[in-house]
Amino acid sequence: MRVHSLFLYPVKSLAGIAVDSFELDQFGPAGDRRWMLVDDECQFVTQRTVPQLALVQPSLGADGGVSITLPGQPLIALQASGESLSVRVWRDWVQGQVGCDAANGAVSRFCGLSLRFVFMPHSSFRQVQTNLATERRRVSFADGYPLLVTNTASLVELNERLAVSVDMRHFRPNIVVDGAAAWSEDSWQAVTIGEGSYRVLKPCSRCVMTTVNPDTGEKAASVQPLRTLATYRRTADGIMFGMNAIHDSPCRLSVGDCVIVNQSE
C-alpha cells in the first residue's frame, strides 16, 4: 500500500489543496485548518449551510502565509489582526485572531452573509476529542481529530453503486491510501506511513457536505453520494466513509510513502 495523494485545507470548509508532501506538527498537517470562518454569533460556518464556499480557493505562500481567491476576483492575503475573539467550532470555544477587513468583506459579499476569518494562534489550545485520544493533544479547527484517512478502493466500490461517480474531494481527506482492499480501513488501528506512526481511532461520520460538488459549489439534488452510502455504511454513530487518525509525533509525509498496517481488529 502507498500514499496515493495528500490534501491540505488551510481554511476550514474552503476548497482543498492537493500537495506532494506536508509536515505534521502539534496541530496536525502544518497549516491545515488554522483559519476558519465565523458568523456574527462567532459560530463556525461551513459548506453545510454555505455550499458556495467550495468555490473559494486558498493558496499557500513560500513563507506559509495563506491567500484566497474568490471567483473572478484577485488574490487576497489572509492576515490576522490584533483583535482577539472567542469563537465556537462544534462544542469548543477557542480564542482566535480576527482576519483582515479586505478578506472579511470580500467573502461576505460573495456569500451574502456577514462573515469573518479567524486564525488559531499557537497560544490557543483546543483539545482533540478525548473519548478515544485521552492524552493532552491539540487540534486545529478540524472537526475533532487532526487527520482523515481514506482508501481509493472504497471510493471505487461506492462509485460502482452510483449513477454519477464522485471523486475523493467530496470526502475532504488529508491522506488517501492506494493498494488496500475496499473498506479494509475499517479495521485498521495502528499504521506506519513512511517514517511516521499513526493511530487510527474511529470511522468518520459523514454529512451533507459530501453532496456538495467541489467544482460548482452546489448540493446535489439527489443527495448523492450520501443517500447511497446510507444504504450500507450506516452505523449507530452515523454514515461512515474514511477514518479519523492521529500522529504519534512530528514527521513528514509524502505521496508514494509506504503504508503498513501494524495492528487491526
Side-chain angles (χ1 to χ4, degrees):
M1 296 187 293
R2 299 279 177 180
V3 174
H4 174 272
S5 47
L6 297 170
F7 294 89
L8 287 174
Y9 306 90
V11 184
K12 184 178 181 69
S13 223
L14 299 193
I17 303 173
V19 296
D20 292 329
S21 63
F22 56 62
E23 299 283 345
L24 284 144
D25 60 20
Q26 292 181 1
F27 291 91
D32 189 78
R33 296 175 175 95
R34 294 288 293 277
W35 286 92
M36 181 174 74
L37 282 164
V38 297
D39 61 18
D40 287 341
E41 304 300 320
C42 299
Q43 304 288 323
F44 77 116
V45 175
T46 73
Q47 291 178 36
R48 294 170 183 85
T49 55
V50 189
Q52 62 266 40
L53 289 174
L55 302 180
V56 184
Q57 182 64 58
S59 56
L60 291 170
D63 61 352
V66 178
S67 299
I68 60 164
T69 304
L70 292 97
Q73 299 187 37
L75 193 74
I76 303 173
L78 295 185
Q79 297 176 328
S81 70
E83 180 184 354
S84 182
L85 187 69
S86 182
V87 298
R88 186 174 183 177
V89 51
W90 296 112
R91 291 174 293 181
D92 301 328
W93 285 95
V94 185
Q95 285 299 120
Q97 295 174 333
V98 178
C100 59
D101 289 343
N104 296 341
V107 76
S108 296
R109 289 188 294 272
F110 176 69
C111 295
L113 298 168
S114 178
L115 300 173
R116 285 182 287 180
F117 287 96
V118 290
F119 176 73
M120 181 186 288
H122 198 275
S123 58
S124 188
F125 182 88
R126 179 181 175 225
Q127 171 67 38
V128 72
Q129 287 187 7
T130 55
N131 54 331
L132 295 169
T134 56
E135 73 270 34
R136 183 173 169 82
R137 287 288 299 270
R138 75 192 314 166
V139 66
S140 66
F141 287 128
D143 279 352
Y145 299 97
L147 293 163
L148 178 66
V149 182
T150 62
N151 175 1
T152 58
S154 298
L155 180 64
V156 169
E157 195 278 339
L158 169 61
N159 277 329
E160 289 172 351
R161 300 168 180 257
L162 297 174
V164 178
S165 296
V166 299
D167 66 46
M168 198 64 88
R169 291 178 299 160
H170 282 254
F171 299 99
R172 300 177 65 83
N174 297 108
I175 305 170
V176 182
V177 174
D178 191 40
W183 310 115
S184 61
E185 65 273 22
D186 292 347
S187 66
W188 299 350
Q189 294 181 323
V191 298
T192 299
I193 308 178
E195 298 181 355
S197 57
Y198 303 78
R199 282 171 288 154
V200 183
L201 299 175
K202 60 179 282 292
C204 182
S205 176
R206 311 317 301 238
C207 70
V208 70
M209 268 187 65
T210 61
T211 72
V212 177
N213 185 319
D215 294 320
T216 66
E218 298 174 337
K219 291 179 182 176
S222 61
V223 199
Q224 297 290 12
L226 192 62
R227 176 172 287 170
T228 295
L229 272 177
T231 65
Y232 72 115
R233 294 290 297 171
R234 185 185 292 276
T235 73
D237 297 317
I239 302 165
M240 304 301 180
F241 188 99
M243 303 294 289
N244 292 121
I246 193 166
H247 52 302
D248 288 331
S249 60
C251 59
R252 187 170 187 81
L253 188 59
S254 299
V255 170
D257 279 352
C258 183
V259 180
I260 300 170
V261 178
N262 300 313
Q263 183 179 348
S264 60
E265 292 182 315

